[in-house]
Amino acid sequence: MELYGYDGGRHSRGSGFVLTAERLAADFEVGVEHARRALEELRSFESQPASTLVTDGSGLLGEPGSWARDVAALEAVFGLRRAEWLRPYRAEAWPAFTVGLPSGAAALVVYRTDLAPTPGPGCVELDEEYQVDFWLAPGDGGPGMVLADLSGHWFGPASRWVELRGIVQAALPDRVAAARRLLLAPFLGDAAAGDEAVDWLAWALGFVSGRDRRSAEVRALAGIVLGGLSAKEWRLWNGVWVNDGCYCKRSPGREY
């Protein structure tokens, strides 16, 4: 599938820190050989290009685990267990979803599974870390960039409320419109969204779950999904909409 320049999350790894087997062994209080084997496995995984890992995830769009993060709320609405929520995440295959934007640009939403060293009984284990990237590819063929990352060290938001509404056009079939709303809503962060956004997402949740969109549990889940990325108000700066949130990449002059 088309990756639009997406580099598989290597953009988020710092270049100044070098992890060595000796450092890993000292930090985790294990033998150097144990640390070396774990480090070799980690580097082997990290060296794989995104093109060998990213797969078309469109077949997962109807599954709650492909867009939601809050397991307790999912259980209340869908009866979804943790194992089902994690099913789209696999280290060897990263589901990706492509959404065309009205401007001619494209957004790539990638469900990425990274490996991270953690201490085990007398060894170093590699645990899976789950995160979702929102990659924007300009319509003019210019270089893309990651606008939001939903993870333990998240940054965002990627979009304003009016932008998100524009992406999910009213002319789309209900099934496609619901899938797009659920896929993109976690990247919204806008103080102007309010109850309109909750109604907008509750409709999608009701459509895919068969539950009443007006029920308390469905509306509560909509609020949880929309509340993942806090944001200040957006403002125009030199003709471009920007956000001054400390974790937003659409902030003028900020470097990450």
Side-chain angles (χ1 to χ4, degrees):
M1 64 178 296
E2 175 62 57
L3 298 185
Y4 303 100
Y6 177 74
D7 62 1
R10 275 53 177 176
H11 54 267
S12 64
R13 293 173 189 159
S15 58
F17 177 79
V18 178
L19 182 62
T20 65
E22 290 75 16
R23 183 193 294 268
L24 193 58
D27 288 347
F28 290 0
E29 298 180 349
V30 298
V32 173
E33 283 304 314
H34 288 295
R36 182 171 290 113
R37 285 195 294 271
L39 192 57
E40 288 173 356
E41 184 179 349
L42 178 63
R43 287 175 174 165
S44 175
F45 171 75
E46 291 184 343
S47 66
Q48 298 179 71
S51 58
T52 67
L53 296 169
V54 174
T55 61
D56 181 9
S58 57
L60 296 170
L61 275 179
E63 298 189 15
S66 68
W67 47 261
R69 318 283 179 264
D70 189 276
V71 178
L74 285 170
E75 288 177 345
V77 176
F78 295 98
L80 191 70
R81 298 186 301 273
R82 178 174 173 79
E84 296 171 295
W85 171 66
L86 290 175
R87 198 169 77 81
Y89 294 90
R90 290 182 292 146
E92 70 277 9
W94 297 347
F97 309 87
T98 304
V99 178
L101 307 182
S103 64
L108 194 66
V109 178
V110 183
Y111 283 69
R112 176 155 58 93
T113 303
D114 279 346
L115 300 180
T118 59
C123 65
V124 179
E125 297 177 348
L126 295 180
D127 279 354
E128 294 182 337
E129 291 187 341
Y130 311 109
Q131 54 196 81
V132 189
D133 291 340
F134 183 101
W135 180 265
L136 177 66
D140 60 6
M145 67 178 297
V146 62
L147 286 185
D149 180 341
L150 305 181
S151 65
H153 304 284
W154 64 267
F155 58 84
S159 68
R160 300 158 55 220
W161 170 228
V162 68
E163 293 168 344
L164 195 60
R165 283 187 309 181
I167 294 171
V168 185
Q169 301 173 24
L172 291 171
D174 285 351
R175 177 183 58 82
V176 178
R180 281 199 178 186
R181 292 186 190 191
L182 295 171
L183 181 66
L184 299 176
F187 300 102
L188 171 70
D190 191 341
D195 288 342
E196 183 184 4
V198 174
D199 294 340
W200 180 86
L201 189 60
W203 172 86
L205 287 166
F207 183 86
V208 300
S209 69
R211 305 287 291 273
D212 185 347
R213 68 179 186 276
R214 296 163 296 185
S215 66
E217 62 269 22
V218 170
R219 290 186 63 81
L221 179 54
I224 290 171
V225 174
L226 290 167
L229 296 176
S230 60
K232 298 179 180 179
E233 294 184 354
W234 294 77
R235 62 182 176 89
L236 271 174
W237 178 78
N238 290 342
V240 178
W241 284 99
V242 299
N243 187 289
D244 293 320
C246 59
Y247 299 111
C248 185
K249 284 209 167 187
R250 293 176 62 175
S251 179
R254 180 159 291 136
E255 296 182 0
Y256 294 84

